[in-house]
Amino acid sequence: MVELRLLGPVELSVRGRTAEVGPPQRRAVLAALAVDTGRPVAADVLVKRVWGTDPPDGARRALHAHIARIRRLCEQTGDAGDVRLRLVRRSGGYVLEARPDRVDVHRFRQLVGRARAAGRTDEARAAALLREALGLWRGEPLAGLGGQWAARVREAWRRQRVDAVVGWAHLESRVGDPVTVVGPLTELLGEYPLVEPLTEALMQALHAAGRGAEALDCYATLRQRLAEELGADPGPGLREVHEAILRGELPGPSPWPVPQVPAASAPAASPPPRPPSATTPWPAGTPVQLPMGVRGFTGRGEELARLEEILASEADQPSAVVISAVSGTAGVGKTALAVHWARRAQKAFPDGQLYVNLRGFDPGGTVVSPAEAVRGFLDAFGVPVSRVPAGLAAQTGLYRSLLAGRRVLVVLDNARDAEQVRPLLPGAPGCLTLVTSRRSLTGLAAAEGAHLLTVGLLGPDEARELLTGRLGADRVEAEPAAVREIVGRCAGLPLALAIVAARAAAQPSLPLAALAEELRRADGRLDALDGGEAASEVRAVFSWSYRALGTDAARLFRLLGLHPGPDAALPAVAALADLPTARLRVLLAELVRGHLLTEHTPGRYTFHDLLRAYAAELVATYDSDDVRHAAAHRMLDHYLHTAHLADVLLTPRPNPAPLPAARPGAAPEGLSDHRQAQAWFTAEHPVLLATVEQAPAAGFDEHTWRLASALTTFLDRHGYWRALTTVHTAALEAALRQGDKAGQADAHRGLGLAHDRLDRPEDARAHYLLALDLFGELGSHAGQARIHQQLSRMCEALGHHEQALGHARHSLTHHRAADDRAGQSAALNHIGWILAQLGDHDEAFAHCHRALGLAQKTGDLNGQAHIQDSLGYIHHHLGRHPQAVDCYRQAVDLFRQTGDRHSQATGLVCLGDIHHSAGAPDAAHAAWTQALAVIGELGLPDTDPLRTELLQRLGHLPAAESPRPGPPRARQQARPASA
């Protein structure tokens, strides 16, 4: 028997005796090979795993020496009654050949996988398999090995062990004696005191063993630790167990694994929705983001088979997060391969498929940041904006929590490097990530154990198969010599072959020999976008296809090289080209037929980045500076004027600052309501962010800061606060270059808001004060009013009510000077609210009553709702309970009409408090229950103060104090001025 042990010190056992492996470095090399038993591991990957990302000069020589010693050690294992251990060199690297069940970590995964399968039908056998798997652990895995790779692998295996222990504990408690799991769980909890599933399993086992008081002590201990070390509360699963123990209603331990209904057998009708509760998560969606596959996809049999093997290995190793990194030159068909395989594998991932084009090699430089990609994934799962945390680390944690326990395929297309990818990798078993890049991402293989797959140029037979699929066998077989020349001229690049095939298909009577001759005469080549690429003769293919276009289509193709990307909608293309829509559709269809453009969603068009670079090259060569400047100006005017209109629809205000007139042909979109404005911003904000980034280089500084200003409300409401920082930083630089004080003031206001949202109060205050000075110099009362309003809100949140009152009164003065009645109403209400906090209820009532009259005259329903809320609070403190109830009911009804659900929930809390203090417990409970239902629909985080106080009022959590009249603490902290 030959055994290789990694779940403890690295050891090789032969016939029951431990063989001497050698020093720690050699044991590290052996471990680095063993984790990929049966698969080739490149020498570069081994060097990085053993010596890190900055290896010493002699690392490769030392590696070869260790490889030679390990090979001799393997030869000594013999094969008496067992499969011999062998170390061989293959084209892809070194392969350690051994049966997987002879390597303890692989056997552990096999046993866990078998236990998962058995758990659905035979829980006793599943528990026995998990006991056997856990018995393979002999201490700290890879003990004695240092370095980042060993540390990362060690931590990943520890998590797998924890998962297995939790599963074993559930099963053992169901089919055996729960007392047997208490000791192992307690011991493991000592190593991982903040792992909630361990505490949950221990609480269930203790309760089942009749030790309920100890179970409650476990919960209290963990809750205190989480609060002290992380500032967080226990998660919903743990809270449910705790509450069930308190009620005496704890069910038996959950089955392991949780059964999943296959998509094909799902019932036709959805079950009725459950009523919201304290732990109801938001209604996460099932994202299906894969783009359309390539029509007539052919070839790539070996690559598809390799991806199928990787998927199969994921099934054998259910605790692993499998990553496949597909690399190859531009235009070689990496995306086509990835999408084609992903669509074939869709059924294996019933919980969703995520896709993002990271634009790592976009010639315009607008690379998608990990933060932007993670936000897109959270949006795809339907996470409400109110529940998206501010920082990238927190957002990544939420994203990975969403994937826990699900089978999701994540396709990360066109990645620049491993660092761009790492924050997007799932952290839970059951998911598979497919990455494409022009670079070989060896860092992912070294650190995350990714499977590397290189996509090469098509061979002659595969290239011929591609042409046959597009043109038909008869046409291809009729001219074999011409086909051979076309294949050779296209250098096996699928993108070039697709363009040639599109041209040939459009002219069925044209001999292929004529196409080959035309291609032969084309001169030049497309320069490599990233040094060393083998796309020879690609510019010849592009130029040949470009010359086949009509004059107008060729002009449109060139002008599209000015667009910042990542895609363009039909109205924006019309502005860029200064063409009517009907004519434009004809030209775009011509470009799509020629594979020079892709309509990836209806009405939105995009380039392959090689084609984008070629179009930019052409427009710079053949179109004058005046033509390019005029086209860019029309496009920017289109975006600016449409964004300005959309922003006004989102935040109605009197007399918005006028824009310079748009150039003829810009044709801004005619949005008419809030819903259209929201949809337009949602579709266009990636383009607008790229536009703000690139406009200064083209000399459009004013467009830069004005676009940033128009984006502010949308980015703020959707939680894109880092993007808000980026655009207003660019806006400030542009305004400073122009000496434009209005632009500087607005940029400082935007940066103040961004820093405020990111919890940087000192930076926010500094920018607000700079904006206030500039608006003062400009004599802008509207600008000063808004800044004072923000400063008042910040002061109130800090409990500085006198300072807040001063800023609110300044805001009112400036709103009056600007003749802004809606602004005056908001300022009066804010003053009244602060006076009420200070105890001057009569004066507060007078201000709020005047505010209500103005809000009713201007038809501001949201403002009226906030004022009724303030009046309800004031009436309550003056002892006028019926009037308070009436005001809060009106506020709740108005908030419901305007869609302000969070304010509706807080109004219901206050209404319940009034009923409670008036001795009407049933009415109070009904109002609080309604508020909790609204919060459940909003998906507020479990730690949200409003949710916590509601649970205390309803008796679901121990209350620090009895319900008090007036606004809950959460309302006092977060309440803004109403407008």
Side-chain angles (χ1 to χ4, degrees), residues 16-52:
R17 300 181 59 184
T18 302
E20 179 59 39
V21 176
Q25 218 171 63
R26 189 173 306 148
R27 285 186 279 120
V29 174
L30 179 58
L33 289 163
V35 295
D36 283 311
T37 299
R39 296 195 295 264
V41 186
D44 289 342
V45 173
L46 289 171
V47 168
K48 288 183 179 179
R49 288 180 179 179
V50 178
W51 285 275

Side-chain angles (χ1 to χ4, degrees), residues 756-779:
D756 191 4
R757 297 298 194 232
L758 292 170
D759 198 21
R760 301 168 186 163
E762 294 303 320
D763 292 336
R765 183 174 179 81
H767 281 291
Y768 280 145
L769 292 176
L770 287 169
L772 190 62
D773 289 343
L774 287 165
F775 281 128
E777 292 178 32
L778 293 167

Side-chain angles (χ1 to χ4, degrees), residues 119 130 162 200 247 252 264 311 346 410 455 488 518 559 675 752 760 777 782 787 842 936 941 954 974:
L130 287 177
V162 169
E200 183 179 336
R247 295 192 304 267
L311 179 60
Q346 255 179 305
V410 183
V455 180
E518 189 175 351
L559 291 178
R675 182 177 299 176
R760 301 168 186 163
E777 292 178 32
I787 298 299
D842 290 328
L954 289 167

Side-chain angles (χ1 to χ4, degrees), residues 526-805:
L526 186 66
D527 296 331
L529 294 177
D530 187 22
E533 292 184 349
S536 59
E537 302 293 345
V538 173
R539 182 184 281 123
V541 174
F542 290 172
S543 64
W544 165 73
S545 188
Y546 166 74
R547 288 199 302 271
L549 297 171
T551 302
D552 290 344
R555 172 182 174 271
L556 175 59
F557 178 74
R558 294 195 308 272
L559 291 178
L560 283 167
L562 300 173
H563 193 276
D567 62 357
L570 187 67
V573 179
L576 183 68
D578 193 15
L579 288 172
T581 301
R583 176 59 179 157
L584 185 65
R585 290 185 187 277
V586 174
L587 301 179
L588 287 169
E590 184 177 348
L591 295 177
V592 171
R593 284 195 303 271
H595 283 236
L596 294 174
L597 203 63
T598 300
E599 188 177 10
H600 69 103
T601 60
R604 299 194 73 88
Y605 299 84
T606 189
F607 277 125
H608 185 285
D609 54 6
L610 284 178
L611 288 164
R612 185 186 298 278
Y614 182 58
E617 181 182 281
L618 288 177
V619 76
T621 302
Y622 295 109
D623 295 280
S624 67
D625 290 345
D626 289 343
V627 168
R628 294 198 303 274
H629 188 272
H633 203 155
R634 287 192 303 272
M635 175 186 69
L636 289 170
D637 276 356
H638 168 83
Y639 282 129
L640 175 57
H641 282 260
T642 310
H644 181 76
L645 173 59
D647 183 46
V648 169
L649 290 170
L650 290 184
T651 53
R653 54 187 181 271
N655 306 317
L659 294 176
R663 290 177 67 94
E669 295 190 45
L671 309 175
S672 60
D673 56 30
H674 181 284
R675 182 177 299 176
Q676 289 185 3
Q678 183 73 21
W680 186 84
F681 268 131
T682 299
E684 298 293 350
H685 83 270
V687 180
L688 299 176
L689 294 176
T691 301
V692 170
E693 180 181 341
Q694 296 182 30
F700 293 97
D701 281 329
E702 185 176 359
H703 285 79
T704 300
W705 76 258
R706 289 189 182 276
L707 263 177
S709 178
L711 272 165
T712 301
T713 297
F714 174 83
L715 294 177
D716 176 45
R717 289 184 181 176
H718 287 74
Y720 294 114
W721 297 314
R722 294 187 182 279
L724 191 63
T725 306
T726 301
V727 296
H728 278 292
T729 299
L732 182 57
E733 293 170 353
L736 286 169
R737 279 193 298 269
Q738 294 293 309
D740 190 323
K741 288 188 177 181
Q744 294 170 43
D746 204 84
H748 280 302
R749 181 184 68 84
L751 286 169
L753 179 61
H755 287 301
D756 191 4
R757 297 298 194 232
L758 292 170
D759 198 21
R760 301 168 186 163
E762 294 303 320
D763 292 336
R765 183 174 179 81
H767 281 291
Y768 280 145
L769 292 176
L770 287 169
L772 190 62
D773 289 343
L774 287 165
F775 281 128
E777 292 178 32
L778 293 167
S780 171
H781 291 290
Q784 292 176 82
R786 296 174 74 182
I787 298 299
H788 278 299
Q789 187 169 318
Q790 294 292 351
L791 289 170
S792 178
R793 184 190 53 77
M794 287 184 66
C795 291
E796 184 195 344
L798 295 171
H800 303 156
H801 291 97
E802 293 292 348
Q803 294 180 34
L805 187 59

Side-chain angles (χ1 to χ4, degrees), residues 14 27 154 228 406 431 445 565 733 741 787 792 820 863:
V14 182
R27 285 186 279 120
R154 187 179 294 122
E228 292 174 352
R406 300 185 181 190
C431 297
E733 293 170 353
K741 288 188 177 181
I787 298 299
S792 178
D820 182 351

Side-chain angles (χ1 to χ4, degrees), residues 394-613:
Q395 290 181 3
T396 301
L398 176 58
Y399 158 65
R400 287 174 175 159
S401 298
L402 275 173
L403 297 186
R406 300 185 181 190
R407 291 190 57 79
V408 176
L409 175 63
V410 183
V411 180
L412 307 176
D413 194 16
N414 197 16
R416 188 168 191 83
D417 51 35
E419 294 308 312
Q420 189 186 18
V421 165
R422 282 197 174 97
L424 309 177
L425 299 178
C431 297
L432 187 145
T433 306
L434 188 58
V435 186
T436 73
S437 177
R438 293 187 194 172
R439 294 174 177 166
S440 182
L441 302 178
T442 55
L444 286 181
E448 282 78 21
H451 305 264
L452 300 183
L453 175 63
T454 301
V455 180
L457 299 170
L458 294 176
D461 291 341
E462 288 181 312
R464 181 187 176 92
E465 184 182 352
L466 187 153
L467 292 175
T468 301
R470 304 288 178 98
L471 303 176
D474 292 344
R475 192 172 181 188
V476 170
E477 292 171 1
E479 298 184 73
V483 169
R484 281 195 299 272
E485 183 168 3
I486 289 172
V487 167
R489 294 284 176 184
C490 290
L493 193 70
L495 177 62
L497 287 162
I499 293 172
V500 173
R503 175 71 187 282
Q507 296 177 282
S509 62
L510 184 68
L512 297 183
L515 298 177
E517 172 64 22
E518 189 175 351
L519 185 57
R520 188 186 315 131
R521 290 197 306 268
D523 55 353
R525 64 178 62 196
L526 186 66
D527 296 331
L529 294 177
D530 187 22
E533 292 184 349
S536 59
E537 302 293 345
V538 173
R539 182 184 281 123
V541 174
F542 290 172
S543 64
W544 165 73
S545 188
Y546 166 74
R547 288 199 302 271
L549 297 171
T551 302
D552 290 344
R555 172 182 174 271
L556 175 59
F557 178 74
R558 294 195 308 272
L559 291 178
L560 283 167
L562 300 173
H563 193 276
D567 62 357
L570 187 67
V573 179
L576 183 68
D578 193 15
L579 288 172
T581 301
R583 176 59 179 157
L584 185 65
R585 290 185 187 277
V586 174
L587 301 179
L588 287 169
E590 184 177 348
L591 295 177
V592 171
R593 284 195 303 271
H595 283 236
L596 294 174
L597 203 63
T598 300
E599 188 177 10
H600 69 103
T601 60
R604 299 194 73 88
Y605 299 84
T606 189
F607 277 125
H608 185 285
D609 54 6
L610 284 178
L611 288 164
R612 185 186 298 278

Side-chain angles (χ1 to χ4, degrees), residues 918-930:
D922 292 342
H925 190 276
W928 292 334
T929 302
Q930 279 185 270

